[in-house]
Amino acid sequence: MESGARGFQWKLFILSCLFLEGLSQDFGQTQFICTSVPKDMDICAATLQNSVPGEDLKTTVMQLRETVLQQKETIMNQKETIRELTSKLARCEGQSASEPGDSKGGGRRKEQGSKNTMGDVSRGPTDTLAQLSQTLQSLKQRLENLEQFSRNNNSVQANSLKDLLQSKIDDLEKQVLSRVNSLEEGKPGLRNETEQRGRVESTLTSLHQRITDLEKGQKENRPLDKFQLTFPLRTNYMYAKVKKSLPEMYAFTVCMWIKSNASPGVGTPFSYAVPGQANELVLIEWGNNPMEILINDKVAKLPFIINDGKWHHICVTWTTRDGVWEAFQDGVMRGSGENLAPYHPIKPQGILILGQEQDTLGGGFDATQAFVGDLANFNIWDRKLSIGEIYNLSTCSSKAQVGNVFSWLETSIEIYGGASKWTFEACRQLN
């Protein structure tokens, strides 16, 4: 029995030495002394009792204990963090897994994907809340404009409807605040995010329609061509659709008044898609790229500088013969080129959208490519206008013509998602 006890003590002695030696790498030149310890005695107490440099060794052992405790606490914290991140990731993936999409640059098409209606398709809950807040702010701004109109016209009916809309917006703000609190507190109710988004979107759509109906009171006596379209937010659900398609064209001129201070890039003023080709005719300024004109997915860079918050008149002309194009800003030619989709006629039976870039026929919008700003007097001709004709348009001359393929009339377009119409008369309220 005595021999067995002695063997156990030696084993304990060897293990204590190996343990201390393994930890010595954290303390530079620290020296460790191994001592035989009886089996019933605390290892650390016996070491301190028998050592010569007792104070130094005591300090070392205390440092070891503190290090082990700190590492244990760190591991526990990391485990908790991993659990939290895993839970959040699962919630976010549940909200956006059905709507992936890559952005397009330099005129290249994106992969086709389904259309979301509440902001960027890959956004998480926090980004969705930010988008809702922006939308609410836009609605408030429109209500303020309506309040001013009501005061000027003493409209009892307008005031009554305005009060109702204000109440609805207040309710929406409470919903947004509740969702913010849920995010901060990690409540399980966030699992119903998709259902909540659907309810909020439905309410927003109703609000947009009611405000639009109220705004109609301002324009009953307005000429059909004296209006502008306003896209206040970079979303993938705010746009205008031209009611009729374009014919086959072997040449064209597209002109418009445009105002924006969006950065980076003003977005997509218009896009025309046909079956089998989403980029049949597109005007886009995306990211840090210059503005581009796309024809049958072929690209030409345009020398426009328009994101200064001022109104500018721009025109682009093109002919299929040799693919010759010209770009005009404020009545002056700023650039020209050739070999842009030569001998490719613009195809008919497509969909013309204002304010969004199409990745599928009539849809597949991407918020990062949406237009932000104002558009007016958008006209299309099936021929190349002369320099003089374009100058007349930019100076609002009485000789200015309207498009023979598409002319700017309120009855020719439909608006969606909160885009709005306001009275605009070119050259009288510029900048």
Side-chain angles (χ1 to χ4, degrees):
M1 291 295 291
E2 182 177 345
S3 175
R6 186 178 296 110
F8 180 83
Q9 290 176 359
W10 275 106
K11 290 179 182 179
L12 187 58
F13 161 72
I14 292 171
L15 287 173
S16 66
C17 290
L18 291 174
F19 173 77
L20 293 173
E21 183 179 4
L23 292 174
S24 66
Q25 59 186 351
D26 294 331
F27 295 93
Q29 300 300 320
T30 301
Q31 181 179 6
F32 295 97
I33 299 174
C34 297
T35 306
S36 178
V37 180
K39 65 175 183 178
D40 296 326
M41 183 175 289
D42 181 73
I43 295 175
C44 295
T47 303
L48 291 174
Q49 189 178 46
N50 297 325
S51 62
V52 177
E55 193 64 33
D56 291 341
L57 188 56
K58 180 180 179 180
T59 301
T60 300
V61 173
M62 295 305 294
Q63 289 176 341
L64 282 171
R65 283 181 168 178
E66 184 178 351
T67 300
V68 171
L69 290 174
Q70 288 176 348
Q71 290 177 347
K72 182 177 180 181
E73 183 179 359
T74 300
I75 290 172
M76 295 302 294
N77 290 337
Q78 289 175 344
K79 286 182 177 180
E80 183 65 26
T81 301
I82 290 172
R83 281 195 294 268
E84 291 178 359
L85 290 176
T86 302
S87 177
K88 290 180 179 179
L89 180 61
R91 289 198 300 268
C92 292
E93 288 176 344
Q95 296 159 13
S96 59
S98 63
E99 311 214 35
D102 296 323
S103 296
K104 178 186 73 175
R108 304 302 187 267
R109 290 188 61 194
K110 299 188 308 162
E111 294 181 3
Q112 296 181 358
S114 58
K115 178 185 173 185
N116 188 8
T117 58
M118 283 296 293
D120 229 343
V121 292
S122 61
R123 301 301 172 95
T126 303
D127 296 308
T128 301
L129 290 174
Q131 188 68 64
L132 280 174
S133 297
Q134 289 181 328
T135 303
L136 289 172
Q137 187 59 41
S138 172
L139 288 171
K140 283 186 172 182
Q141 182 62 48
R142 292 171 68 183
L143 277 177
E144 290 175 2
N145 293 332
L146 292 171
E147 286 175 353
Q148 183 63 39
F149 171 76
S150 299
R151 285 194 293 268
N152 294 339
N153 293 273
N154 296 320
S155 172
V156 176
Q157 182 179 4
N159 279 322
S160 175
L161 184 53
K162 173 190 68 63
D163 292 339
L164 177 60
L165 293 175
Q166 185 62 60
S167 174
K168 289 287 187 181
I169 288 180
D170 291 341
D171 290 341
L172 268 178
E173 285 185 316
K174 291 177 182 177
Q175 291 183 42
V176 172
L177 181 59
S178 174
R179 294 174 69 193
V180 169
N181 292 334
S182 296
L183 278 174
E184 293 176 345
E185 299 173 8
K187 292 181 179 177
L190 283 176
R191 296 178 181 177
N192 299 323
E193 177 75 18
T194 302
E195 182 179 346
Q196 292 180 22
R197 284 175 60 176
R199 288 197 299 267
V200 173
E201 180 181 356
S202 176
T203 305
L204 283 174
T205 301
S206 175
L207 277 173
H208 286 311
Q209 186 58 51
R210 291 186 178 188
I211 290 178
T212 299
D213 291 342
L214 184 53
E215 289 167 347
K216 288 179 180 179
Q218 303 181 44
K219 57 192 179 185
E220 290 179 352
N221 299 319
R222 181 174 72 204
L224 292 178
D225 62 335
K226 306 300 182 184
F227 75 102
Q228 70 182 54
L229 283 181
T230 297
F231 302 90
L233 303 173
R234 200 182 291 277
T235 73
N236 67 351
Y237 56 84
M238 192 177 295
Y239 65 100
K241 179 180 179 182
V242 174
K243 293 182 178 180
K244 69 174 185 178
S245 180
L246 301 181
E248 185 176 55
M249 296 188 295
Y250 294 84
F252 70 75
T253 299
V254 178
C255 294
M256 73 194 79
W257 284 98
I258 187 170
K259 177 182 179 181
S260 179
N261 59 0
S263 179
V266 302
T268 309
F270 77 90
S271 64
Y272 176 67
V274 297
Q277 178 53 274
N279 294 330
E280 183 68 8
L281 177 57
V282 182
L283 184 66
I284 182 172
E285 184 181 84
W286 180 75
N288 294 316
N289 300 308
M291 184 165 281
E292 299 170 337
I293 183 78
L294 281 68
I295 299 177
N296 192 33
D297 218 13
K298 305 302 185 295
V299 185
K301 299 184 183 302
L302 305 178
F304 293 149
I305 301 176
I306 58 175
N307 63 336
D308 56 2
K310 298 180 180 180
W311 281 103
H312 294 282
H313 187 264
I314 60 173
C315 289
V316 179
T317 70
W318 172 85
T319 60
T320 186
R321 182 179 177 85
D322 296 325
V324 176
W325 61 269
E326 295 175 342
F328 296 79
Q329 181 174 327
D330 299 324
V332 178
M333 185 188 296
R334 297 297 177 90
S336 61
E338 57 183 15
N339 292 321
L340 175 58
Y343 305 104
H344 170 83
I346 302 299
K347 296 179 181 179
Q349 306 304 316
I351 295 177
L352 179 58
I353 297 290
L354 305 180
Q356 294 284 354
E357 193 272 338
Q358 303 173 66
D359 283 325
T360 59
L361 186 63
F365 304 148
D366 183 339
T368 64
Q369 298 174 334
F371 174 72
V372 179
D374 304 305
L375 290 178
N377 291 66
F378 180 83
N379 286 274
I380 302 177
W381 294 259
D382 60 1
R383 64 183 180 86
K384 176 183 175 182
L385 295 188
S386 68
I387 295 177
E389 288 174 318
I390 291 175
Y391 180 79
N392 287 338
L393 288 166
S394 68
T395 56
C396 304
S397 168
S398 59
K399 299 179 181 179
Q401 305 179 36
V402 297
N404 67 331
V405 170
F406 175 77
S407 58
W408 187 246
L409 295 173
E410 288 194 61
T411 54
S412 299
I413 62 174
E414 299 172 331
I415 60 175
Y416 299 91
S420 57
K421 299 177 184 178
W422 300 97
T423 299
F424 174 81
E425 191 166 356
C427 300
R428 289 193 179 183
Q429 60 186 81
L430 299 184
N431 308 321

